[in-house]
Amino acid sequence: MKIAVTGKGGSGKTTVSGALCRHLARRGTEVVAIDADPNPNLGVSLGMPPESVENLQPILNALLASGHTHDDPTPDPEDLLSRFGVPAAEGVVLVATGKIERPTDACLCCGSHTTTRSFFGDLRTDGRTAVADLEAGLNDLLWAAPGPDDVVLVVAESSAKSLEVARRAGQMADELGVRRVVGVCNRSAGEGDMVRLAQALPGCEVVAVPEDAAVERASHLGRAPYDLDPASPAMAAVASLAERLIAPA
Ligand SMILES: Nc1ncnc2c1ncn2[C@@H]1O[C@H](COP(=O)(O)OP(=O)(O)OP(=O)(O)O)[C@@H](O)[C@H]1O
Ligand SMILES: [Mg+2]
């Protein structure tokens, strides 16, 4: 299964992605965590030490440093995974597609998008689950180009702006032919928030992830909320989401 996690900036995509990967891996699934944000920080939400996150070699940066040009085809995903994937807790393998590090004439973010497309699109998933934490907004969803058998998680807070981005993400996923779009009502304060997200994503499943002080605490400490308290309300909600995603149809 491939899961693309999208939504407005700051809506909670990385928090949800990290906890989802950890829970799936803990219950025995082989998980590839794809950090598709050119400002990657999924490693933190997976529980990697800050220095390991800092030292992570993103695919595109490593390829460009070794003479690869934007016009060259991206190498085979299995090869990239074995070269650039790093182990995280519970056996999750983390790979980042590209990172903006210093001023350059070339548009690193464009290359990063194409790397995401080919890596997410071509990665083999038999027996494994890939979770792609996408860059904020809708552009990266277009680039990741999830297909009919993939899952799109649309993470939204209760603000009108967040819900509007969610609405457009749902429409876009629909136009891409994605059959399963799940709205994640993050920092949910109750039924009203769920109803508003359900209205933005007609016909889609919607799940709630509550506002959680333990997540905020983990964020300040630079730690994974899953490590701080895997049973906290938000982590428990993401665990139920994971179970729902892998439950037989
Ligand atoms: N359920 C929650 N309860 C409390 N705080 C939360 C919750 N979900 C996310 N947060 C906090 O909201 C902030 C943004 O979360 P996160 O980084 O996951 O968002 P994002 O969508 O990945 O952001 P970006 O668009 O910058 O990549 C973080 O400080 C995180 O700790
Ligand atoms: Mg993020």
Side-chain angles (χ1 to χ4, degrees):
M1 187 195 319
K2 290 181 192 173
I3 303 168
V5 184
T6 189
K8 190 179 181 309
S11 58
K13 300 175 292 299
T14 304
T15 303
V16 169
S17 300
L20 186 62
C21 289
R22 288 288 299 270
H23 183 79
L24 288 171
R26 183 165 285 188
R27 72 191 304 299
T29 307
E30 182 186 340
V31 177
V32 178
I34 305 169
D35 195 339
D37 192 331
N39 301 299
N41 54 26
L42 179 57
V44 177
S45 293
L46 285 170
M48 286 171 72
E51 59 280 10
S52 306
V53 177
E54 194 52 40
N55 290 335
L56 181 69
Q57 258 200 312
I59 295 172
L60 180 65
N61 302 62
L63 291 179
L64 291 175
S66 65
H68 180 97
T69 73
H70 283 307
D71 299 326
D72 294 327
T74 309
D76 172 57
E78 297 304 323
D79 175 41
L80 293 173
L81 193 59
S82 63
R83 285 163 67 194
F84 304 117
V86 294
E90 252 105 38
V92 173
V93 176
L94 170 66
V95 68
T97 54
K99 181 179 184 182
I100 296 175
E101 285 178 306
R102 61 185 64 87
T104 155
D105 289 342
C107 177
L108 189 77
C109 126
C110 293
S112 171
H113 290 311
T114 38
T115 308
T116 298
R117 172 169 288 183
S118 56
F119 190 80
F120 184 76
D122 298 340
L123 188 70
R124 178 180 60 69
T125 51
D126 40 320
R128 80 160 60 120
T129 295
V131 177
D133 175 25
L134 301 181
E135 187 181 14
L138 302 177
N139 192 28
D140 211 25
L141 179 62
L142 281 183
W143 279 101
D149 297 328
D150 300 331
V151 175
V152 170
L153 293 189
V154 180
V155 183
E157 297 178 282
S158 60
S159 74
K161 289 177 182 172
S162 199
L163 291 167
E164 170 56 14
V165 174
R167 186 187 68 75
R168 286 190 275 130
Q171 259 181 8
M172 206 173 280
D174 188 45
E175 285 189 40
L176 288 167
V178 176
R179 286 193 292 259
R180 190 167 192 193
V181 175
V182 181
V184 179
C185 182
N186 191 29
R187 314 187 86 152
S188 166
E191 193 54 33
D193 288 347
M194 293 278 282
V195 169
R196 292 171 80 204
L197 182 55
Q199 283 166 349
L201 295 170
C204 300
E205 304 157 70
V206 174
V207 300
V209 174
E211 174 75 29
D212 186 341
V215 174
E216 267 310 323
R217 207 160 54 247
S219 180
H220 283 118
L221 295 170
R223 293 187 54 199
Y226 202 83
D227 284 324
L228 210 65
D229 183 2
S232 79
M235 293 300 101
V238 177
S240 320
L241 166 63
E243 295 298 325
R244 172 193 275 257
L245 293 176
I246 56 177

